Amino acid sequence: MKKLQKIWGVAALFAVGIGIVAADHIDAPGVQGTTADITDFYAFQGENTSNMVFVANVQGLLSPSATGAAAFDENVMIEFNIDNTGDNVEDLVIQAIPRDGKMYFFGPVAPSAPGVSSMVMESAPMASVDITAYGSQAEVATENGMTVFAGPRDDPFFFDFGKYTEIIGGTATAFDAVGTDTFAGSNVLSVVVELPKSVLGGSGTLNTWVEAKRK
């Protein structure tokens, strides 16, 4: 792996609590449509109930014809933040950085400092995986307790943006029982890490959020 530049500044922020899903398609000022544009963040208990899974999706609304050429930006680091003390300050981070066709994961580890700038924690436990090509069998790797994946996926988020616009505009009062999925047929680039709950610290509730940081 090439030597990494050490200081990364925040390009986008999306914060949520644990065990839920949140999304931010096509409305993030400053990063909309860029390689640092986060579309979704998921944090949930794994099929193995002793594990947690974190998923960050970026570069949303990729058409099938555009997905093959889409790539993770080597100047953008995805950072999962975990607060295990309830003060809404990250106690641990998991950093994901693409290089030469692979995604490298570092953590979970205490950050060098909390906030919007980060240093790559190269001394932390590391896992890596080949980035899956569009249309190929998913490449998954397990190393140092982390099971990891990176690559294109069908956008799993459902939202009826047309009806939402009608409600906001006052021409409708509610969503239809079966709406129209605005994101049907579009893809995202996903970064996934699954790891034991026991390495995340705390004794109960975790607060977690994800950032895209550009060097």
Side-chain angles (χ1 to χ4, degrees), residues 11-23:
L13 173 66
F14 202 76
V16 300
I18 196 164
I20 64 173
V21 54

Side-chain angles (χ1 to χ4, degrees), residues 79-157:
E79 188 171 77
F80 298 98
N81 297 269
I82 298 131
D83 160 35
N84 57 28
T85 58
D87 61 0
N88 297 320
V89 176
E90 65 270 37
D91 300 294
L92 298 170
V93 295
I94 302 168
Q95 299 172 329
I97 303 167
R99 282 289 184 279
D100 300 328
K102 287 182 172 288
M103 186 68 75
Y104 292 85
F105 297 78
F106 300 92
V109 62
S112 57
V116 297
S117 295
S118 293
M119 296 180 65
V120 178
M121 307 304 291
E122 294 179 75
S123 62
M126 188 192 80
S128 65
V129 65
D130 290 336
I131 295 172
T132 297
Y134 181 51
S136 300
Q137 183 72 25
E139 299 276 356
V140 178
T142 299
E143 189 175 4
N144 286 319
M146 292 184 281
T147 298
V148 295
F149 166 85
R153 297 285 93 179
D154 182 82
D155 191 337
F157 193 75

Side-chain angles (χ1 to χ4, degrees), residues 163-187:
K163 184 60 70 174
Y164 167 80
T165 301
E166 292 178 14
I167 294 170
I168 293 299
T171 58
T173 58
F175 286 98
D176 298 329
V178 180
T180 300
D181 183 9
T182 301
F183 305 115
S186 66
N187 298 314

